[in-house]
Amino acid sequence: MAAIPASDRGRRFVVLIGAPGAGKGTQSARLAEALGLCKLSTGDLLREAVRAGTPLGRAAEERMRQGLLVEDDVILGLVREHLRTPGCAGGAVLDGFPRTLAQAEGLDELLAEVGQSVERVVSIEVDEEEIVRRLSGRRICERCGRVRESAEIVAPPEPPSPQVAALPADGVAAAEVCPSCGGPLVQRADDRPETVRRRLEVFREQTAPLLAWYAQKSLLGRVDGGGDVARIHALVRRELT
Ligand code: AMP
């Protein structure tokens, strides 16, 4: 067997699974920071590609808008490319990937190529009513792409910053500005109620079967995703020890 390059030894790959709105994005950012790993969110990478108007973004946009999954080979290509970036040298917290059995198998193959494997899979579990409530309040910054949970949305500073003052008066509610950059906060097209229902269905049908698959490999931990962000972070960390 080929020797494992020294740089690949000890890399950590942790997967967070959860329905849309379960808090994977928030928790994966915290976890990645705490462990010194990169956060690899396929949803963020796709949205970046859509914003930049790349061929991949143009191909993915319609499926995303409809709440359907983007094709497995496109996703696996994106992940392969991103895992090679220097930021992921120590490993990655995978957010929103894998979402299908084919992607999970593809991930195993990608990691096996560099002598690595998935260390742990943590399922963040929240009931559907709570998910619909959360997603209807969620906003994304049009300028910097950061997602804001409803509780984080803040009123603009007084007097408004130049960026806020420059917002179109009719396009965006005045209270909905990004706390980081002052950009306009908008609802993601796929956070609208009818699309949320589709995404939940897709999760149940295509992603939830991964839980049994990872449980069978003794890699799965489950945490209750309700309540305080710090408490959930502690529960996720406990699953990794
Ligand atoms: P997310 O931000 O993770 O909820 O992803 C938003 C949308 O991007 C999803 O509804 C899918 O259309 C697409 N997407 C993100 N990750 C994947 C993936 N691993 N496989 C297929 N589609 C994905």
Side-chain angles (χ1 to χ4, degrees):
M1 212 169 91
I4 299 167
S7 58
D8 279 328
R9 274 183 223 133
R11 291 176 80 191
R12 304 182 74 178
F13 296 92
V14 177
V15 173
L16 296 191
I17 292 192
K24 299 184 300 292
T26 305
Q27 291 301 329
S28 56
R30 282 204 166 210
L31 188 62
E33 196 184 345
L35 302 180
L37 308 178
C38 74
K39 164 181 147 139
L40 197 165
S41 156
T42 43
D44 286 351
L45 293 175
L46 289 168
R47 277 184 292 279
E48 251 172 64
V50 169
R51 261 201 305 278
T54 64
L56 188 150
R58 285 199 299 274
E61 190 171 13
E62 184 53 24
R63 293 188 70 80
M64 292 173 74
R65 206 184 52 74
Q66 292 180 14
L68 300 172
L69 295 186
V70 174
E71 293 80 359
D72 291 330
D73 54 342
V74 172
I75 298 291
L76 283 163
L78 205 58
V79 170
R80 173 188 284 275
E81 197 181 297
H82 200 79
L83 282 180
R84 290 200 181 118
T85 58
C88 297
V93 177
L94 301 164
D95 161 16
F97 170 86
R99 261 170 149 107
T100 64
L101 222 41
Q103 289 180 17
E105 286 166 352
L107 173 63
D108 279 355
E109 282 164 26
L110 272 181
L111 295 182
E113 282 171 23
V114 289
Q116 300 293 306
S117 56
V118 171
E119 171 183 325
R120 192 86 177 137
V121 177
V122 182
S123 163
I124 303 181
E125 311 198 339
V126 176
D127 70 56
E128 286 200 7
E129 244 172 71
E130 167 69 6
I131 281 175
V132 174
R133 197 189 60 74
R134 284 186 190 182
L135 292 187
S136 60
R138 185 163 85 166
R139 297 292 181 269
I140 187 164
C141 175
E142 259 190 342
R143 189 177 301 154
C144 71
R146 292 193 62 179
V147 172
R148 299 288 161 196
E149 309 309 328
S150 41
E152 286 181 300
I153 297 174
V154 296
E158 284 297 338
S161 68
Q163 298 100 314
V164 175
L167 292 181
D170 55 349
V172 185
E176 298 195 348
V177 297
C178 174
S180 302
C181 77
L185 292 180
V186 294
Q187 185 170 48
R188 273 173 48 172
D190 60 354
D191 278 349
R192 297 193 181 118
E194 62 285 6
T195 317
V196 167
R197 275 193 290 278
R198 164 88 55 75
R199 289 164 68 204
L200 286 170
E201 241 171 69
V202 166
F203 176 78
R204 271 196 302 270
E205 285 168 15
Q206 302 191 56
T207 307
L210 288 182
L211 299 177
W213 196 73
Y214 281 124
Q216 212 209 348
K217 293 170 177 274
S218 304
L219 290 177
L220 185 72
R222 294 173 181 257
V223 306
D224 170 11
D228 183 58
V229 169
R231 182 189 139 268
I232 302 163
H233 175 69
L235 294 174
V236 172
R237 292 293 294 274
R238 210 164 63 189
E239 284 299 327
L240 301 183
T241 53

